Amino acid sequence: MSDRKKSLITYINPNSLIAEQYRTIRANIQFSSVEKKFRSIAVTSPGFGEGKSTTVSNLAISMAQQGEKILLIDADVRNPTIHTAFNLNNDVGLTNVLIGTSSVNDAVYQTEIGRLGVLTSGPTPPNPAELIGSEAMRNLIKKALADYDLVLFDCPSVLEAADTKILANECDGVILVVSSGKTDKEKALEANRVLTMARATLLGVILNDKK
Ligand SMILES: Nc1ncnc2c1ncn2[C@@H]1O[C@H](COP(=O)(O)OP(=O)(O)OP(=O)(O)O)[C@@H](O)[C@H]1O
Ligand SMILES: [Mg+2]
């Protein structure tokens, strides 16, 4: 299987065991939402390559397959990959919306997967943390929440990028992806501490296994 097919397994093979596992995670998020509705969720991890983008893409697909109107946003503007996974052009995206050269509606791609919209990162700016932490970002989240049931962010590593802490704080909840065999325990605990200090609400930890 190509990398693209592998990474969007929930779309390519909705009957697979892996897709079923994403549905379980989806259900767990929905159960946590009983008291308070979590409508904006940031997905991050302690380090690099632990499965953030794969996890958030499959969760977005799984939720869209259930009929919800979902917006997936690539907020990893230094190292964006969502456009590659979904085979989309990345000339215009989040960063253009934030600097005001495009509207959200013009920049979002409506996919063929239910009502899943994807906002790719757009060009990498010189000041990612500043842009992600801007008033424009808060406005974008507000606008997105008016149009979508749920907004999911693919974020950079929380220990490597200041912008993740800002976004985690802006979102209703955060999901931490850790990689079995790769993430060390200290790093996972440190990520938890950093998120707590940023006053983010940790919804849960997903243990990703690439085997
Ligand atoms: N559960 C999995 N099964 C198989 N392959 C996986 C799994 N999770 C991730 N991968 C693969 O591992 C690589 C890294 O995954 P991914 O891009 O999702 O991580 P990331 O945390 O977003 O990385 P980065 O820190 O670079 O943004 C990709 O090639 C992806 O296809
Ligand atoms: Mg990634």
Side-chain angles (χ1 to χ4, degrees), residues 3 6-7 18 22 45 47-55 76 79 81 154-157 177 208-211:
D3 264 7
K6 206 170 59 186
S7 63
I18 302 173
Y22 283 111
S45 61
F48 299 112
E50 291 166 303
K52 300 175 282 291
S53 303
T54 306
T55 302
D76 195 346
N79 172 32
T81 58
D154 184 17
C155 298
S157 144
V177 177
N208 186 36
D209 187 352
K210 292 188 194 175
K211 270 180 277 172

Side-chain angles (χ1 to χ4, degrees), residues 104-197:
V104 187
N105 287 346
D106 286 346
V108 169
Y109 289 94
Q110 292 305 327
T111 68
E112 74 238 49
I113 309 163
R115 293 184 295 162
L116 173 63
V118 175
L119 180 57
T120 65
S121 73
T124 302
N127 53 346
E130 206 181 300
L131 208 53
I132 299 290
S134 66
E135 182 69 28
M137 187 62 169
R138 285 192 287 278
N139 290 337
L140 165 64
I141 296 177
K142 239 182 263 161
K143 177 157 186 8
L145 288 176
D147 290 345
Y148 291 83
D149 296 320
L150 187 91
V151 183
L152 288 166
F153 288 94
D154 184 17
C155 298
S157 144
V158 68
L159 297 180
E160 307 291 338
D163 21 331
T164 303
K165 285 177 264 186
I166 303 169
L167 202 47
N169 175 270
E170 299 285 342
C171 285
D172 295 338
V174 181
I175 292 174
L176 195 63
V177 177
V178 298
S179 172
S180 61
K182 183 161 191 226
T183 309
D184 75 53
K185 196 175 154 203
E186 268 317 305
K187 284 268 159 86
L189 293 172
E190 177 65 13
N192 187 21
R193 270 195 295 275
V194 164
L195 287 169
T196 308
M197 267 162 58

Side-chain angles (χ1 to χ4, degrees), residues 1 4-16 58 61 65:
M1 261 196 283
R4 170 163 182 250
K5 286 190 174 163
K6 206 170 59 186
S7 63
L8 300 186
I9 185 96
T10 311
Y11 175 56
I12 305 300
N13 192 352
N15 297 321
S16 63
N58 283 286
I61 292 169
Q65 283 168 340

Side-chain angles (χ1 to χ4, degrees), residues 4-38:
R4 170 163 182 250
K5 286 190 174 163
K6 206 170 59 186
S7 63
L8 300 186
I9 185 96
T10 311
Y11 175 56
I12 305 300
N13 192 352
N15 297 321
S16 63
L17 194 62
I18 302 173
E20 180 56 35
Q21 285 168 346
Y22 283 111
R23 282 193 287 276
T24 304
I25 298 168
R26 177 186 78 190
N28 287 343
I29 294 169
Q30 285 157 346
F31 282 129
S32 346
S33 284
V34 172
E35 297 266 306
K36 177 186 186 297
K37 201 92 180 104
F38 294 101

